Amino acid sequence: MAAGLIGGAALGAGFGELLRVIVEASKTAAMFRDNLEELASMLSPIEPVIKEIQSFNKAFDKEYETEQLVEIVKRGKKLVTKCCKIRRWDIIKKPYYSHKLLGLKKSLERFCQIVMQTHQARDIKEVLFETKEISVGIRKLSLKEGSSNGNGICNQVAVMGPCRVPEPRGKVLGFDEPLKELKVKLLKDGVSVIIVSAPGGSGKTTLVKQLCQDEDVKGKYEDNIFYVSVSKTPNMELILQKLLQAKDYAVPEFQNEEDGLNYLEQKFRQLAIIPILLILDDVWPGYEFLVHNLKFELPDYKILVTSRFAFPRFDDCTYCLNPLNDDNAMTLFRHNAFLQNGKPCIPEDIVNKVMKSCKGLPLALEVVGRSLCGQPVAMWLKQAKQHSNGLSILHSNTDLLAYLQSTLDTLDDEAGIKDCYLDLGSFPEDHQTPATALIDMWVEQYKLDEDCDAFIKLHELSIRNLVNLVVMRKDDASEADSFYNDHFVMQHDLLRELAIYQSSFDPIEKRRRVIVELSRNNFPNWWSEEKQQPLGAHLLSISTDETFSYNWGYIQAPEVEVLVLNFRAKNYVLPVFMEKMDKLKVLIAMNDSIYPAEVSNFQLLYSLSNLKRFRLEKVSVPSFSTSSFQLKNLRKISLVMCNISQAFEKGTNKMSDNFPNLLEIDIDYCDDLMELGEGLCDVVQLMKLSITNCHKLRALPEGIGKLVNLEVLRLTSCTDLMSLPETIGSLSQLTILDISDCLSIKNLPTRIGELHNLAKLCMRGCSSCNLPSTITKLQHLKDVICDEETAYQWEFLKSYLTNLKVTVHEQDINLNWLQIFV
């Protein structure tokens, strides 16, 4: 109610201010006078009606959302103010702002229709309001008193058994902050559906049950809270029956599901004099339609959903429940591990180690805590030792394992989703894994046609809450072109351990994946066995830290197709046994230290004749044009945060001779790149070249025009890049050019008009960039993504470029990208 009054007041005051600004502007902004006078004549008759409705609504619950209308008024005032600043000599800007004013007029016309409808219905509302007040009073009285059967027992029951909210089992600990945050979401106006999403065992159901015990929540919804456990295979007929029986309604036989829903809506409408809250607990993928079907147009009716999966269509109203922090985790763990009246005799450091092994997951804290309650110190020491040795708690807790395993049962083996999930164990704990690294693995390993096919699998894992997909910079245009450099994957530690555990059932020589973590000279037993069997693994992941000695020994892994090397070092030695990996298709070497590592035996890469993709992070890369560096099947090179000043210099061989099938080069955050070597320009078969976030890059080579097969050229965020060479006009096959956030580019080259196949140009953040007259020759140009300051130039050119669509980029301001360097 308070929010409604605030919204109404803001609307009334803002509307009056907008009308005043429009009237004043029509006197001074001669260029837009006709548009502004038309707006003023439309709005003037509405102002007194708004004031009348506003005063009436102070005694009536707000029926219409005003937030959107308030926003239209705010944007309108800002637009009119801008129009006043346009001078006569800026005539080129008139089409753009005239179009904006026309859009404002259409928005306000819809608003005026709502206002007049509200005005006409005022008398009806007054009657309804009085009726509502009487009904609420009668209902509250009846609920308090009920009807006695003579023995003092109340016959009327507010909520019958089937949909009563169960009370949380035991004491709820560690959820103070989530409860506050979820409560704010629930009581906020304008939100009809809220999804509480988190992996299994995170405490979603407990959180929602405890929320329903809150006095403010009970005070608002009273006995109109309905709880339905949905689970894997819901039955809509049974759900309808439970909801109707909750209020002791008769349940007739319905002809079909729609009849049942209509009947339920009718009954809910009778109850709606008090707000209604419907809780759908444990909704699984494929059953989102339940939420849609039960979403009735009723005042203050909300649906609260819990799910271990994410539902993309409800992204804007999803609350993600995170693992408990150490303090809350310890509180919950102690509550389960120690008798309330007893004195714990377990050393504090042991308790802390066991608690941390649960990774903040409430279910794990409860299960492990209860299993150790009353146990001797020796059992605690055993559990702590397992954690210290890197052994997951899943090995010793079958109940926890079974619960988490149920999430994997929904994965489609035929679609390869489960295999993709199991591959995630290849990357270190608490690591932000680049989506592009996973895409490289999956495209080659599972023979996918396109990068976007691999991204779809990653998206499937995300909506099942098996991974958290983090977007550092939101850019829909790049996603549409299958460019995912700003996408990273995070995973709950226990879910990673589950992936590793699932991969370890078979004997080591028969496993599809072998994942090894090495420190100092501590090798697993099978590694150093004298009669070692060849590994049958298709994926081999080896992680080493700064204490590892690089005395690799020797293993046989002839079937490996993907090799992942995670390390932390200033100097690194590649495993010598990789030269015998004749089937290796993908190499991913990622250094987690601060500075790029020197690799002493880089020449080992030359022996990988079947290699199709390699990705290096924080590595110093030698020249690719040496005579010994020949990889005939290589299709893609990715270099991230590497030292590459020598990589593309001309050498004894041409790069095109060394890499005759190379189609894509991706360079990202390589700070030592100041000039791109001419050697790269010999790779005439190249189709995609991405140089992004290389802030010291000053110039592209003139020879870039030799890349006649190039289809995509990305130069995003190369802030020191001053210009594009005129030879770019020779790139006859270029369809996508992205110079977004190249702040120093002031003019596009004249020969850009020769790019006859160019279909998309991204230039957001290039507000100072001038367009040459030859731009009108780009007859195949369909999409331009730019800033508002540049958009007016393109709008003026639409008469020449008839197929052109101009999209004004809305800046996504966040600091997620800083996490790349953490």
Side-chain angles (χ1 to χ4, degrees):
M1 181 69 177
L5 298 181
I6 293 169
L11 178 61
F15 185 87
E17 179 65 14
L18 174 62
L19 181 57
R20 185 190 67 76
V21 170
I22 290 174
V23 172
E24 290 296 320
S26 65
K27 299 174 184 176
T28 58
M31 195 183 300
F32 305 102
R33 182 167 292 142
D34 292 344
N35 305 77
L36 294 167
E37 286 180 348
E38 192 174 351
L39 277 171
S41 63
M42 180 180 72
L43 298 180
S44 295
I46 303 297
E47 186 181 21
V49 178
I50 285 180
K51 290 181 178 177
E52 190 173 352
I53 290 176
Q54 183 186 338
S55 62
F56 168 69
N57 277 340
K58 288 180 182 177
F60 191 83
D61 285 346
K62 184 167 64 75
E63 202 170 351
Y64 298 100
E65 293 186 51
T66 60
E67 288 182 12
Q68 186 178 358
L69 303 179
V70 170
E71 186 59 31
I72 292 172
V73 169
K74 284 182 181 177
R75 282 193 284 108
K77 183 182 173 184
K78 184 178 178 181
L79 175 61
V80 173
T81 304
K82 280 188 178 181
C83 290
C84 292
K85 296 178 181 178
I86 305 297
R87 299 293 177 253
R88 289 192 301 275
W89 52 82
D90 286 332
I91 186 68
I92 194 172
K93 296 182 180 180
K94 182 176 179 180
Y96 172 71
Y97 283 98
S98 294
H99 178 73
K100 285 279 191 179
L101 286 169
L102 180 61
L104 174 64
K105 180 174 178 286
K106 288 180 179 178
S107 297
L108 288 169
E109 279 177 344
R110 290 193 294 270
F111 165 48
C112 291
Q113 289 173 2
I114 291 174
V115 170
M116 294 310 297
Q117 289 169 4
T118 304
H119 181 56
Q120 293 165 3
R122 186 183 65 243
D123 293 340
I124 297 172
K125 285 184 177 181
E126 287 173 342
V127 172
L128 287 174
F129 173 65
E130 292 174 3
T131 305
K132 175 182 175 181
E133 291 294 296
I134 294 169
S135 298
V136 169
I138 293 172
R139 180 163 176 78
K140 284 183 177 179
L141 184 62
S142 66
L143 291 178
K144 285 180 181 179
E145 296 183 359
S147 57
S148 175
N149 63 4
N151 298 319
I153 300 173
C154 180
N155 290 331
Q156 180 175 350
V157 181
V159 180
M160 299 293 285
C163 290
R164 185 193 300 275
V165 181
E167 292 189 5
R169 289 181 298 171
K171 194 172 182 181
V172 177
L173 299 167
F175 284 113
D176 290 350
E177 283 305 311
L179 279 168
K180 288 177 187 175
E181 293 166 355
L182 188 57
K183 178 179 171 182
V184 169
K185 265 187 171 290
L186 180 64
L187 299 181
K188 182 180 178 181
D189 289 338
V191 179
S192 59
V193 176
I194 301 169
I195 312 290
V196 180
S197 177
S202 295
K204 302 176 294 295
T205 300
T206 300
L207 176 66
V208 168
K209 289 177 181 177
Q210 186 64 18
L211 180 68
C212 292
Q213 306 303 314
D214 181 88
E215 291 302 323
D216 291 333
V217 174
K218 291 196 291 187
K220 176 173 182 175
Y221 295 102
E222 300 186 10
D223 61 330
N224 271 2
I225 301 178
F226 301 86
Y227 177 95
V228 177
S229 182
V230 178
S231 298
K232 264 188 175 180
T233 54
N235 182 313
M236 178 57 91
E237 184 180 348
L238 185 60
I239 290 172
L240 291 172
Q241 182 180 0
K242 285 183 176 181
L243 289 170
L244 291 167
Q245 287 179 344
K247 290 294 185 181
D248 211 15
Y249 291 128
V251 183
E253 186 173 339
F254 302 118
Q255 294 294 319
N256 50 49
E257 186 178 293
E258 187 176 356
D259 282 349
L261 287 167
N262 289 337
Y263 185 75
L264 178 65
E265 181 179 5
Q266 176 190 340
K267 295 303 180 182
F268 268 23
R269 199 169 292 281
Q270 295 172 7
L271 298 172
I273 52 176
I274 295 173
I276 297 173
L277 173 61
L278 172 60
I279 298 167
L280 300 176
D281 185 35
D282 199 18
V283 177
W284 286 61
Y287 294 98
E288 303 95 306
F289 68 87
L290 290 174
V291 182
H292 177 74
N293 289 349
L294 292 167
K295 190 178 173 184
F296 308 133
E297 293 297 325
L298 300 173
D300 227 341
Y301 167 53
K302 296 194 178 183
I303 301 177
L304 181 58
V305 178
T306 72
S307 179
R308 64 183 71 185
F309 307 94
F311 301 127
R313 64 179 295 182
F314 296 112
D315 269 353
D316 293 340
C317 49
T318 296
Y319 177 78
C320 295
L321 182 59
N322 295 318
L324 300 181
N325 61 34
D326 281 354
D327 289 341
N328 288 329
M330 182 59 83
T331 301
L332 180 58
F333 182 69
R334 285 183 171 280
H335 179 75
N336 288 278
F338 300 116
L339 298 173
Q340 301 306 303
N341 299 323
K343 264 192 172 183
C345 58
I346 310 299
E348 192 64 30
D349 61 325
I350 301 300
V351 175
N352 196 49
K353 280 184 181 179
V354 176
M355 180 276 291
K356 284 184 178 295
S357 72
C358 299
K359 313 295 185 181
L361 196 70
L363 176 68
L365 291 161
E366 291 178 9
V367 171
V368 174
R370 286 198 299 266
S371 70
L372 291 172
C373 184
Q375 295 294 325
V377 176
M379 287 295 294
W380 285 79
L381 288 169
K382 179 182 177 182
Q383 185 80 45
K385 186 178 180 181
Q386 287 179 343
H387 176 59
S388 298
N389 291 338
L391 199 62
S392 170
I393 59 170
L394 299 176
H395 286 267
S396 55
N397 286 275
T398 54
D399 289 346
L400 179 61
L401 176 61
Y403 188 90
L404 294 177
Q405 176 68 43
S406 65
T407 301
L408 302 188
D409 293 340
T410 66
L411 298 182
D412 188 346
D413 287 339
E414 291 183 9
I417 301 296
K418 188 171 183 178
D419 276 327
C420 291
Y421 165 72
L422 296 177
D423 289 343
L424 291 167
S426 307
F427 296 91
E429 187 175 79
D430 300 323
H431 182 78
Q432 286 192 335
T433 304
T436 45
L438 295 166
I439 288 170
D440 285 343
M441 290 170 53
W442 296 341
V443 166
E444 299 299 339
Q445 196 176 9
Y446 303 122
K447 298 178 175 60
L448 304 179
D449 293 332
E450 302 286 346
D451 285 4
C452 60
D453 295 332
F455 188 79
I456 289 171
K457 294 183 182 297
L458 191 54
H459 179 70
E460 287 290 323
L461 293 172
S462 175
I463 64 176
R464 285 167 167 76
N465 271 326
L466 291 171
V467 300
N468 182 21
L469 194 56
V470 180
V471 183
M472 298 303 179
R473 288 192 184 97
K474 181 67 175 173
D475 188 350
D476 294 334
S478 294
E479 280 192 37
D481 303 326
S482 300
F483 185 71
Y484 305 110
N485 276 25
D486 290 327
H487 292 69
F488 292 80
V489 174
M490 294 285 289
Q491 191 175 31
H492 190 285
D493 294 344
L494 271 182
L495 290 174
R496 176 182 176 272
E497 290 178 11
L498 179 62
I500 295 173
Y501 182 82
Q502 291 290 316
S503 300
S504 63
F505 290 145
D506 295 321
I508 191 71
E509 65 274 9
K510 294 184 179 180
R511 293 178 189 173
R512 182 179 176 84
R513 295 164 197 81
V514 172
I515 300 170
V516 186
E517 296 183 7
L518 302 177
S519 180
R520 301 186 185 278
N521 284 325
N522 298 322
F523 293 95
N525 292 334
W526 60 264
W527 189 297
S528 50
E529 284 178 358
E530 197 169 318
K531 295 182 179 179
Q532 186 187 106
Q533 293 291 319
L535 298 179
H538 288 218
L539 185 154
L540 175 60
S541 169
I542 306 174
S543 298
T544 56
D545 61 14
E546 61 273 13
T547 67
F548 183 64
S549 66
Y550 298 109
N551 180 18
W552 286 103
Y554 192 81
I555 62 172
Q556 301 176 63
E559 302 298 321
V560 168
E561 296 179 353
V562 176
L563 176 62
V564 180
L565 301 173
N566 305 297
F567 59 96
R568 191 184 311 124
K570 293 181 181 178
N571 297 287
Y572 187 70
V573 180
L574 293 169
V576 292
F577 47 77
M578 63 185 279
E579 66 181 342
K580 298 296 184 181
M581 294 180 178
D582 297 331
K583 296 183 180 180
L584 190 66
K585 297 178 182 178
V586 180
L587 171 65
I588 298 172
M590 302 171 65
N591 179 16
D592 196 33
S593 65
I594 299 175
Y595 302 108
E598 298 289 338
V599 180
S600 61
N601 56 345
F602 204 89
Q603 69 277 7
L604 269 181
L605 268 64
Y606 312 159
S607 61
L608 304 174
S609 59
N610 204 38
L611 195 66
K612 293 186 177 180
R613 301 183 183 217
F614 72 73
R615 177 189 180 90
L616 306 178
E617 287 196 16
K618 292 186 184 176
V619 170
S620 292
V621 181
S623 173
F624 288 134
S625 298
T626 60
S627 58
S628 55
F629 204 146
Q630 295 187 6
L631 295 172
K632 301 297 185 182
N633 289 303
L634 192 68
R635 297 171 63 87
K636 180 181 178 182
I637 295 174
S638 298
L639 305 171
V640 181
M641 292 182 274
C642 291
N643 284 342
I644 61 168
S645 57
Q646 301 176 28
F648 300 104
E649 296 295 330
K650 279 188 174 290
T652 52
N653 275 26
K654 287 185 176 181
M655 275 190 67
S656 56
D657 293 335
N658 287 353
F659 310 128
N661 288 298
L662 184 62
L663 300 178
E664 183 174 355
I665 297 177
D666 187 357
I667 303 169
D668 196 23
Y669 285 104
C670 293
D671 286 342
D672 72 328
L673 182 64
M674 295 184 181
E675 293 186 5
L676 195 62
E678 288 281 352
L680 183 142
C681 302
D682 294 329
V683 191
V684 293
Q685 75 277 7
L686 200 67
M687 298 178 71
K688 291 183 181 180
L689 175 59
S690 297
I691 307 173
T692 54
N693 302 296
C694 297
H695 301 298
K696 294 181 182 178
L697 179 66
R698 296 194 299 261
L700 297 179
E702 289 291 328
I704 199 169
K706 293 191 290 184
L707 302 179
V708 293
N709 291 295
L710 200 66
E711 296 177 357
V712 178
L713 176 60
R714 296 187 189 280
L715 303 166
T716 310
S717 297
C718 294
T719 52
D720 280 358
L721 186 63
M722 302 292 291
S723 62
L724 303 180
E726 287 291 340
T727 53
I728 199 174
S730 300
L731 305 180
S732 58
Q733 299 301 311
L734 198 69
T735 58
I736 297 174
L737 174 61
D738 190 344
I739 58 169
S740 298
D741 295 318
C742 291
L743 308 178
S744 300
I745 295 180
K746 303 300 180 186
N747 298 287
L748 291 181
T750 303
R751 287 188 62 193
I752 196 171
E754 298 176 29
L755 300 177
H756 300 306
N757 283 307
L758 191 67
K760 187 173 187 176
L761 174 59
C762 300
M763 52 183 303
R764 64 187 191 279
C766 298
S767 55
S768 302
C769 188
N770 297 308
L771 307 180
S773 58
T774 55
I775 208 85
T776 57
K777 296 180 180 180
L778 301 176
Q779 293 302 309
H780 286 91
L781 188 61
K782 295 180 179 179
D783 292 300
V784 169
I785 295 95
C786 60
D787 294 332
E788 190 172 350
E789 292 84 353
T790 316
Y792 75 90
Q793 295 186 58
W794 288 104
E795 292 290 344
F796 186 70
L797 294 168
K798 276 188 172 180
S799 56
Y800 301 97
L801 305 172
T802 53
N803 296 319
L804 184 62
K805 174 188 174 185
V806 179
T807 302
V808 176
H809 172 74
E810 293 185 7
Q811 190 171 9
D812 178 33
I813 301 175
N814 69 66
L815 298 178
N816 285 345
W817 60 274
L818 289 173
Q819 299 175 44
I820 298 173
F821 305 102
V822 176

